[in-house]
Amino acid sequence: MTGQDTVLGIAVPAAILAAAAFGVTGALQHRAARRVEGGGPVRWGLVFTLLRQPLWLASLLANGLGIVFQWLALSTAPLVFVQPLLVTSLVFAVFSSSALRRERPDGLVLLGAGLCVAGLALFFLVARPEAGHGTLELRDVLPLATGLAAMIAVAVGLAVRFAGRVRVLALATATGVLYGVTAGVTKLAADDLRRGVVALLTHWHFYVVVACGVTGFLLSQNAFRVGVALAPALAVIVALDPLVSIGVGALWLGEELPGGAGRIAGQVLGLAVAIAGIALLSQRAPQVSTPGRENG
């Protein structure tokens, strides 16, 4: 099997299955988190409350499946190829949310989903990402890491100071950045795992994945808890995740996208169309007007 066959036969289906699992996870966790009342802007003990909800426990199973498929995809294809496919998780979340509420999505939701798929199709038709060196050096990490850490700090600060939509979007921003970094280091951890469990546990990559992943997970639950609508928070997360991942893949892992004005324009256009679809979905996705309606 050639490298291209591996990408098409393994990485793409695995990434799409991961997106589907993460989409279902988001819909279930938003529904469960909205049932939790009270507390401050960021509740680090929120998970202990959610553990009493069967719906949230079911979301953990879906999330676990998503992580397995994401690791499989990252072990067979470049990060900058896999992560943009996870944008489709918002599409799956929208339709899952509709199913949970026994409602049919309207025409604009279908249009948004179509734009996401069309934009990604264009991006991957033009892009032919090349695998990187798979190692990290301090001089490569510091510039981007400093900027991302500042983004997270500012976002959490805004979430603590402000309420309402600002808090939701700030928490979602911090989550998206952390998930993007997690995906990048997961690529390295997946390479470690291919050499055995001992290699995985004796390298720092796995522990950074756990730290960033758990922190992002806790912030996402708080974003879902304080956000009446699922889509705005999830839209920010799924848009930032691949964008940060592309930066991590290019600046940390040495992955490259093809140059040339035409190819670059095609890649930018494809991502722009996909982001337009995300924006449309974030406005038109199934929403919950009051917390009480989620108790049924």
Side-chain angles (χ1 to χ4, degrees):
M1 179 178 288
T2 66
Q4 188 66 21
D5 290 337
T6 300
V7 169
L8 294 177
I10 299 177
V12 171
I16 292 175
L17 288 171
F22 289 146
V24 173
T25 298
L28 292 175
Q29 289 180 348
H30 175 263
R31 192 174 179 87
R34 284 294 297 161
R35 295 174 177 174
V36 178
E37 299 179 356
V42 179
R43 290 180 55 181
W44 298 107
L46 178 62
V47 169
F48 298 105
T49 302
L50 292 170
L51 280 171
R52 296 195 291 268
Q53 295 197 36
L55 192 66
W56 192 80
L57 293 175
S59 78
L60 296 184
L61 295 177
N63 193 58
L65 284 174
I67 291 172
V68 169
F69 285 123
Q70 184 186 28
W71 275 61
L72 176 60
L74 288 172
S75 67
T76 54
L79 177 69
V80 296
F81 187 97
V82 172
Q83 288 306 104
L85 279 172
L86 297 188
V87 167
T88 57
S89 64
L90 180 60
V91 177
F92 290 109
V94 165
F95 286 97
S96 298
S97 184
S98 293
L100 287 172
R101 292 170 53 77
R102 297 181 176 87
E103 295 178 355
R104 295 181 62 182
D106 63 26
L108 287 180
V109 167
L110 297 177
L111 175 60
L115 287 174
C116 283
V117 174
L120 289 174
L122 175 60
F123 176 82
F124 289 115
L125 182 65
V126 176
R128 294 291 188 271
E130 299 178 1
H133 44 65
T135 59
L136 283 181
E137 296 185 9
L138 186 61
R139 66 174 181 271
D140 299 325
V141 171
L142 280 179
L144 181 60
T146 301
L148 295 177
M151 284 183 63
I152 294 171
V154 170
V156 173
L158 289 173
V160 171
R161 182 172 181 179
F162 298 98
R165 189 177 183 87
V166 172
R167 178 174 294 166
V168 174
L169 297 181
L171 290 171
T173 296
T175 300
V177 172
L178 283 167
Y179 280 175
V181 173
T182 301
V185 186
T186 295
K187 173 70 174 174
L188 298 175
D191 292 339
D192 293 337
L193 183 60
R194 295 172 69 177
R195 295 192 294 271
V197 176
V198 174
L200 175 69
L201 297 179
T202 54
H203 285 81
W204 59 267
H205 308 141
F206 173 73
Y207 302 99
V208 173
V209 168
V210 172
C212 290
V214 169
T215 304
F217 177 76
L218 291 173
L219 290 174
S220 72
Q221 301 311 294
N222 280 276
F224 292 154
R225 177 178 67 90
V226 300
V228 172
L230 164 66
L234 196 58
V236 172
I237 293 171
V238 301
L240 277 178
D241 184 350
L243 292 176
V244 171
S245 295
I246 289 173
V248 168
L251 299 178
W252 289 2
L253 305 182
E255 297 181 352
E256 295 182 0
L257 291 169
R263 286 186 175 273
I264 293 175
Q267 294 165 35
V268 171
L269 178 60
L271 290 177
V273 171
I275 291 173
I278 291 172
L280 188 58
L281 286 172
S282 73
Q283 298 298 319
R284 301 293 299 186
Q287 300 186 0
V288 182
S289 58
T290 62
R293 288 187 62 186
E294 296 194 28
N295 294 328

